[in-house]
Amino acid sequence: MSKISKGTKSNPVKLSRVQPEAGISSGHGGTLSKPRANGSKAQRKQRPMTSREALKGLPMTRRNTRPGEDVWAQVQWEKRDAVISGSGGEVVFEQRGVEIPTSWSMTATNVVVSKYFRGTLGTPEREYSVRQLIGRVANTIADWGIEDGYFRTAEDGETFRSELIHLLLHQKMAFNSPVWFNVGVEEAPQCSACFINSVQDSMSSILDLAKTEGMLFKFGSGTGSNLSSIRSSKENLQGGGTASGPVSFMRGFDAFAGVIKSGGKTRRAAKMVILNADHPDILDFIRCKAVEEKKAWALIDAGYDGGFNVPGGAYDSVFFQNANHSVRVTDSFMQAVENDQQWFTKAITSGEVMGVSKARDVMKEITESAWICGDPGLQFDSTINKWHTCKETARINASNPCSEYMFLDDTACNLASLNLMKFRKEDGEFDVEAYEHACRITILAQEMVVDRSSYPTQPITQNSYDYRPLGLGYANLGALLMARGLPYDSDAGRAYAAAITALMHGAANHQSSLVAADRGPFKGYPKNERSMMGVMHMHRDAAYQLDASLVPLPLLNAARKVWDDVVDAGSRFGFRNAQATVLAPTGTIGFMMDCDTTGVEPDIALVKYKKLVGGGVLKIVNQTVPLALEKLGYSAQQIEEITSYIDQNDTIEGAPHLLDEHLPVFDCAFRAAKGVRSIDWRGHIKMMGAVQPFLSGAISKTVNMPPDTTIDDIAEAYRLAWKIGCKAIAIYRDGCKRTQPLNTSLEKKKEAGAVAEHQFGARRRLPEERQSLTHKFNVGGHEGYLTVGVYEDGTPGEIFVKMSKEGSTVSGLMDSFGLAISMGLQHGVPLNTLVDKFTHTRFEPSGMTNHPDIRFAKSIMDYIFRWMDLKFLKGQGAGTQTADERTAELDAAADLAQGKLPLLQVVQGGAAGGGQTVTAPAAFKNQADAPPCHVCGTIMYRSGSCYKCANCGATSGCS
């Protein structure tokens, strides 16, 4: 395919004049739609178009704008200072006097200004306004569309420009990060975040893959490859000798990823490695990451730093820490597991049987490794290729790192996501027409990007032109369901989510077909016409299987009608894009859109902390909660009392007036600090199964499982995902990155008997001869010894702290401190109260520690009481979170996507003048082993298969 002329370079900061709305509207009645007849074969045959018809251009319609209106005047603007502080209070980014819409939060401000504004800080070339940022991207894309003949008239082009600006300005949509980085800056920008690379069974191909991956990592993109084409370590080389096998080469790939990560970008490289279940080295692949995890544990026990991204630390010294691993399994394999049958591995070079084992034994290896380290996940090959639109070209072998983009080898995908809460009307209903319109505008913009982008290799370049894959998705599903009063884990919630997804997928594909009518289908379409139309019929059938009793009629009719339109238009014109939709993790762009939840995820917590424009943070109850309560029929007074209860207790459990049957509506991904409820892991998988039939690709989502998850639970999770039609699944057992059970005699004794109760104020003396436990610690190079004397029931009654090589002042202070705490314990002060008061107090000395579960301590007191919490309270006190997690809470502004991170302090006044600090409890139990952010040091949390930071917006691989 010949390249389209690039035309003249767009002005990087040119601002739009008008704001129009584009796309094709379709009315939706109030009666239930029925499927249209497919028509005769002759009617369904694609009609060839003349060159004149192919150049006529697309008409555009307005919805959000008017001709001659200044689109930028739709919002109010103000000047702000964008400042991001690190975990130690140091400023890691600062740009003052930036121009931001007043409706955008400070979190969105900080993330957008620090991540997406182009130009060197402190120079006139540096962007200083969101007008410039959005104008740079939207104007460049609109100019491309005009120059490349996408529009019927000049007015249509300006309509598209204004409508696109409207969506971005009002936080209704955002492109993936490479678009914001590069469009309007480079002549041929790299716009894709997701890549799939092939590899062949030759040394030159293997080394080429290493080079391609390295360049992608350098520019912050992610890539995935299936290494099953590489002959196994059990097969011979052509010239004699035995092959190394894919797992050996994986060590080299992983090392390159780690070096480039630490040299260019500091974040973890985003990488996926896949091996088919019938590969002779499959058991080595399954075990390899778990083996390295155990090595890391041993290094931590030997005194190596257990933190992530620590040069020379435990995890820096072992392999396979820079990639997600997945096993490709077929229906035949899963059925063999169910039926307890044998499974055969086959040679790559000859196809002969190389090994035989029980399929259940292979699955047990998979689940045991996943229990230890979270990998490998599963990709369901039969399901993936059943829904493949281009079967006649080649199979789908691999995915991107987060598993949402699944397509041909050597392809790339640019992503964009819609903010679902922006399409919720004042009456609580979903704005079907506005949503469908936004889908059409966005997919058209993504289509315009394809020919103007650059790609890392010639095969990816050619396939991008020939197949034009796109990835439209959404964020804020969890918030939308809660606001509607629907539990995330319910049939009604899943049906509503499925209908929303079906409408998006249908609108995107219908628009793709209309573009094909104007410009012709993608080059690979003719030989894949039967395959693609078959998949389109499967999508439409799924739309008609939605439960009409659970979905509002306007939404249901719209979803069904648009799929009738897809099948009708596709049979006549074909499609411009071989792929249209995915559900990405929406990492940084979720912050940009001020989303409460990301991708297909539920909410994390009901309490958030909002950064204030003048500095400081404000604790607020998630604003979705009052919307949900109102939808459920509670009065204004009841809503006020319930939200007040949440504000005081950080949980809705036990709130006045709330009916028990409504509690599931407010269940979140993580358990509240003072609650017991959370969404069961089965609920996460069932949601994936509900929306999967309405996606070209798959879903980026890690299913978080509690620490007490068993290997059998993981096996059941994998089986459930396969049964309900998921294309892939990855699980993560909380705390699995460093599991070291406490099994001392003291703990066993404490478990055996209840803690003795006594009246507060009456001293409970320890016996003359008492058991004690001495613990050596090291905080930032300062060594000390903590001795705890215990009662007969194993509960602590006194502590002594001895510091090594310290002056008399410090020693005296610690002696006095130990005496004071001992008196408090003996007079009935609960240990958890002391833990709450003294953990995370910050003063010197502070620093890294040798304790595997306390990687960083803010002070000696912080360390002592977090150790006491772990030892005597089993991590149920405030000290259960790592210092990194609490550091994150100090700095996180939780008015952002899914990351209502708890804060330990609410700073009042902030930059406005030395306000006071007020302590507040943690709002939810974050993952115990979440890593610190590589940019600012605050604790991150999971987003899909990666992590993201709620303070500065950094991600560990997801764009």
Side-chain angles (χ1 to χ4, degrees):
M1 178 177 178
S2 61
K3 294 186 179 180
I4 294 176
S5 171
K6 299 298 182 185
T8 59
K9 185 176 182 180
S10 302
N11 184 345
V13 294
K14 182 173 71 173
L15 304 185
S16 176
R17 282 85 61 192
V18 289
Q19 38 174 313
E21 165 184 307
I24 297 177
S25 301
S26 54
H28 307 290
T31 59
L32 198 61
S33 304
K34 295 182 179 179
R36 298 178 186 171
N38 294 336
S40 66
K41 184 175 182 179
Q43 289 173 323
R44 288 185 282 112
K45 182 66 177 175
Q46 180 189 341
R47 176 179 61 82
M49 293 177 291
T50 67
S51 59
R52 181 178 178 183
E53 288 176 317
L55 295 174
K56 65 179 181 295
L58 298 170
M60 307 302 297
T61 59
R62 292 180 181 270
R63 179 179 181 86
N64 304 302
T65 61
R66 295 189 299 271
E69 178 188 22
D70 180 8
V71 65
W72 306 103
Q74 287 187 338
V75 300
Q76 292 183 324
W77 298 84
E78 65 183 25
K79 293 289 184 69
R80 297 179 182 172
D81 297 332
V83 181
I84 299 176
S85 298
S87 58
E90 75 283 4
V91 174
V92 297
F93 175 84
E94 180 178 19
Q95 185 176 350
R96 300 191 175 274
V98 291
E99 187 181 40
I100 308 290
T102 56
S103 59
W104 287 32
S105 73
M106 274 308 301
T107 300
T109 300
N110 289 342
V111 169
V112 167
V113 174
S114 64
K115 304 298 181 186
Y116 296 149
F117 277 20
R118 298 296 88 187
T120 304
L121 273 170
T123 68
E125 291 75 27
R126 175 73 177 185
E127 290 176 332
Y128 60 86
S129 173
V130 166
R131 295 177 192 250
Q132 293 173 302
L133 172 65
I134 293 178
R136 165 167 59 82
V137 171
N139 283 320
T140 300
I141 294 175
D143 288 346
W144 287 344
I146 293 169
E147 293 165 8
D148 294 343
Y150 275 87
F151 305 111
R152 181 167 297 177
T153 66
E155 182 180 350
D156 289 325
E158 294 308 311
T159 295
F160 171 81
R161 185 195 306 275
S162 295
E163 289 293 318
L164 180 60
I165 292 173
H166 171 90
L167 295 179
L168 299 171
L169 184 61
H170 290 266
Q171 299 176 295
K172 295 180 179 180
M173 182 272 287
F175 297 107
N176 61 200
S177 291
V179 168
W180 298 108
F181 293 152
N182 303 322
V183 169
V185 176
E186 301 175 2
E187 185 69 28
Q190 190 234 288
C191 297
S192 299
C194 303
F195 292 85
I196 299 172
N197 288 288
S198 66
V199 63
Q200 305 305 320
D201 188 30
S202 70
M203 185 59 68
S204 61
S205 179
I206 292 169
L207 295 178
D208 283 344
L209 176 60
K211 176 182 176 181
T212 300
E213 287 188 346
M215 296 306 295
L216 289 171
F217 298 152
K218 176 182 178 182
F219 293 106
S221 294
T223 178
S225 296
N226 189 321
L227 304 185
S228 299
S229 59
I230 301 176
R231 75 184 68 190
S232 72
S233 61
K234 301 173 178 62
E235 298 174 66
N236 293 327
L237 297 171
Q238 189 173 6
T242 305
S244 298
V247 176
S248 294
F249 287 113
M250 283 165 53
R251 295 177 184 272
F253 294 150
D254 181 75
F256 269 118
V259 169
I260 296 170
K261 171 196 68 175
S262 60
K265 305 280 183 179
T266 54
R267 75 180 190 181
R268 169 182 173 271
K271 176 178 168 62
M272 170 68 78
V273 182
I274 301 161
L275 203 69
N276 296 345
D278 62 356
H279 193 283
D281 287 342
I282 188 61
L283 290 180
D284 292 339
F285 176 82
I286 291 168
R287 298 165 180 160
C288 69
K289 201 165 185 178
V291 169
E292 296 299 310
E293 181 69 27
K294 292 177 180 178
K295 290 181 183 178
W297 298 353
L299 289 171
I300 292 171
D301 291 340
Y304 284 82
D305 195 311
F308 294 91
N309 295 321
V310 177
Y315 285 101
D316 187 56
S317 305
V318 298
F319 284 104
F320 310 129
Q321 301 304 304
N322 300 299
N324 301 319
H325 292 186
S326 289
V327 175
R328 267 285 172 121
V329 297
T330 60
D331 284 352
S332 297
F333 175 83
M334 297 301 293
Q335 289 160 1
V337 172
E338 290 216 316
N339 299 328
D340 197 18
Q341 296 171 333
Q342 291 181 325
W343 181 250
F344 302 91
T345 60
K346 300 176 181 178
I348 304 306
T349 52
S350 65
E352 65 179 298
V353 173
M354 296 289 290
V356 59
S357 57
K358 287 280 191 179
R360 286 186 179 177
D361 291 341
V362 178
M363 178 60 83
K364 186 178 180 181
E365 293 270 4
I366 294 172
T367 54
E368 285 178 347
S369 293
W371 187 90
I372 292 171
C373 65
D375 276 312
L378 293 187
Q379 293 190 355
F380 302 107
D381 184 84
S382 302
T383 302
I384 291 167
N385 282 285
K386 174 184 176 182
W387 293 86
H388 183 20
T389 59
C390 295
K391 299 180 181 70
E392 299 304 316
T393 298
R395 303 179 77 260
I396 296 177
N397 297 310
S399 74
N400 73 316
C402 295
S403 287
E404 76 269 19
Y405 175 57
M406 296 180 169
F407 195 47
L408 299 169
D409 285 348
D410 297 311
T411 58
C413 185
N414 68 76
L415 312 177
S417 295
L418 298 159
N419 182 351
L420 294 180
M421 281 295 284
K422 292 293 184 177
F423 301 96
R424 182 182 183 275
K425 297 189 288 189
E426 290 186 4
D427 63 0
E429 295 302 314
F430 194 71
D431 194 334
V432 170
E433 288 77 14
Y435 179 62
E436 185 175 346
H437 173 79
C439 292
R440 295 177 185 276
I441 290 291
T442 305
I443 206 74
L444 183 57
Q446 291 176 275
E447 153 65 18
M448 292 171 183
V449 165
V450 172
D451 287 313
R452 295 299 193 117
S453 296
S454 63
Y455 304 93
T457 68
Q458 193 281 328
I460 293 178
T461 301
Q462 192 61 51
N463 284 332
S464 295
Y465 295 153
D466 290 352
Y467 295 92
R468 316 181 74 80
L470 305 177
L472 176 64
Y474 57 65
N476 244 350
L477 174 67
L480 182 70
L481 293 178
M482 186 183 291
R484 191 169 179 80
L486 297 176
Y488 185 89
D489 185 9
S490 69
D491 290 339
R494 289 186 281 270
Y496 195 82
I500 292 287
T501 314
L503 180 57
M504 175 189 72
H505 188 42
N509 279 286
H510 187 227
Q511 185 70 15
S512 179
S513 186
L514 296 177
V515 177
D518 180 69
R519 306 180 66 80
F522 64 89
K523 188 175 180 179
Y525 180 77
K527 68 177 178 181
N528 288 290
E529 177 180 5
R530 180 177 178 180
S531 171
M532 188 158 192
M533 285 306 302
V535 172
M536 294 300 113
H537 279 280
M538 290 165 60
H539 288 307
R540 186 179 72 166
D541 291 345
Y544 277 94
Q545 291 169 10
L546 291 171
D547 191 337
S549 67
L550 299 177
V551 181
L553 207 53
L555 176 58
L556 182 66
N557 278 340
R560 292 178 173 177
K561 181 185 183 302
V562 76
W563 274 104
D564 288 335
D565 293 340
V566 169
V567 171
D568 178 60
S571 65
R572 290 187 291 134
F573 309 124
F575 298 88
R576 183 67 171 170
N577 311 97
Q579 294 260 292
T581 59
V582 303
L583 283 182
T586 58
T588 308
I589 65 173
F591 295 129
M592 182 180 191
M593 294 189 290
D594 276 318
C595 294
D596 287 319
T597 63
T598 57
V600 74
E601 302 286 357
D603 219 333
I604 277 189
L606 300 183
V607 173
K608 64 167 65 171
Y609 289 81
K610 184 175 182 179
K611 280 186 179 176
L612 304 176
V613 174
V617 293
L618 174 68
K619 176 183 175 183
I620 61 173
V621 175
N622 184 344
Q623 292 304 293
T624 311
V625 174
L627 297 175
L629 292 170
E630 182 180 3
K631 184 71 176 180
L632 293 171
Y634 291 90
S635 67
Q637 180 63 30
Q638 289 173 326
I639 293 173
E640 182 179 349
E641 293 180 17
I642 293 173
T643 54
S644 176
Y645 178 89
I646 298 172
D647 182 52
Q648 295 172 16
N649 297 277
D650 293 330
T651 179
I652 200 169
E653 298 171 49
H657 313 299
L658 188 69
L659 301 178
D660 288 344
E661 58 262 34
H662 291 159
L663 272 172
V665 173
F666 304 97
D667 284 347
C668 297
F670 293 136
R671 175 174 62 86
K674 297 181 180 179
V676 298
R677 297 181 62 93
S678 63
I679 296 172
D680 185 75
W681 56 264
R682 297 169 187 83
H684 293 273
I685 298 174
K686 289 178 181 178
M687 180 59 78
M688 294 170 69
V691 302
Q692 183 60 79
F694 307 108
L695 295 168
S696 299
I699 305 159
S700 174
K701 180 170 175 44
T702 295
V703 177
N704 292 314
M705 304 182 80
D708 59 356
T709 295
T710 66
I711 292 171
D712 289 340
D713 290 335
I714 296 174
E716 175 58 26
Y718 286 163
R719 179 180 176 275
L720 175 61
W722 170 62
K723 283 285 189 182
I724 65 178
C726 295
K727 291 184 179 179
I729 181 173
I731 66 93
Y732 190 80
R733 184 176 64 86
D734 186 14
C736 72
K737 293 303 289 183
R738 187 59 179 87
T739 53
Q740 189 175 28
L742 299 174
N743 53 10
T744 64
S745 59
L746 287 177
E747 291 234 331
K748 291 179 180 177
K749 188 179 293 186
K750 186 173 71 172
E751 291 174 5
V755 176
E757 294 182 359
H758 63 283
Q759 183 179 359
F760 179 76
R763 185 177 183 183
R764 180 190 178 198
R765 296 180 179 274
L766 282 89
E768 293 298 321
E769 293 186 0
R770 77 285 307 264
Q771 288 187 328
S772 65
L773 180 68
T774 300
H775 170 69
K776 181 181 179 181
F777 61 87
N778 185 314
V779 175
H782 296 263
E783 289 188 348
Y785 296 85
L786 171 64
T787 300
V788 182
V790 298
Y791 292 105
E792 294 89 337
D793 59 9
T795 59
E798 64 183 2
I799 69 170
F800 302 94
V801 184
K802 174 66 176 176
M803 298 301 296
S804 300
K805 299 180 181 179
E806 295 290 349
S808 59
T809 301
V810 174
S811 296
L813 285 173
M814 297 312 298
D815 287 344
S816 300
F817 176 75
L819 176 61
I821 295 300
S822 299
M823 294 300 292
L825 289 170
Q826 294 174 28
H827 281 83
V829 177
L831 177 59
N832 62 347
T833 299
L834 296 171
V835 168
D836 287 342
K837 291 297 182 183
F838 287 101
T839 53
H840 312 296
T841 52
R842 184 192 295 269
F843 54 85
E844 295 300 326
S846 65
M848 301 300 298
T849 82
N850 292 332
H851 197 288
D853 296 318
I854 310 174
R855 301 189 186 106
F856 186 96
K858 301 189 190 78
S859 65
I860 300 293
M861 275 54 161
D862 177 34
Y863 182 91
I864 289 172
F865 282 97
R866 286 169 58 212
W867 181 85
M868 295 278 285
D869 177 28
L870 291 169
K871 204 68 177 176
F872 296 100
L873 299 178
K874 288 188 174 181
Q876 297 302 307
T880 186
Q881 290 180 302
T882 66
D884 294 320
E885 290 172 312
R886 289 304 175 118
T887 301
E889 295 169 359
L890 289 169
D891 298 307
D895 188 20
L896 34 84
Q898 196 187 11
K900 299 160 219 34
L901 274 183
L903 295 180
L904 189 61
Q905 295 180 338
V906 178
V907 182
Q908 300 174 336
Q916 66 185 71
T917 299
V918 183
T919 59
F924 71 91
K925 293 288 186 183
N926 196 3
Q927 290 170 316
D929 50 4
C933 174
H934 54 271
V935 175
C936 65
T938 60
I939 194 65
M940 304 176 85
Y941 61 95
R942 282 207 161 241
S943 176
S945 298
C946 304
Y947 290 93
K948 71 177 186 177
C949 174
N951 182 45
C952 70
T955 64
S956 67
C958 312
S959 291

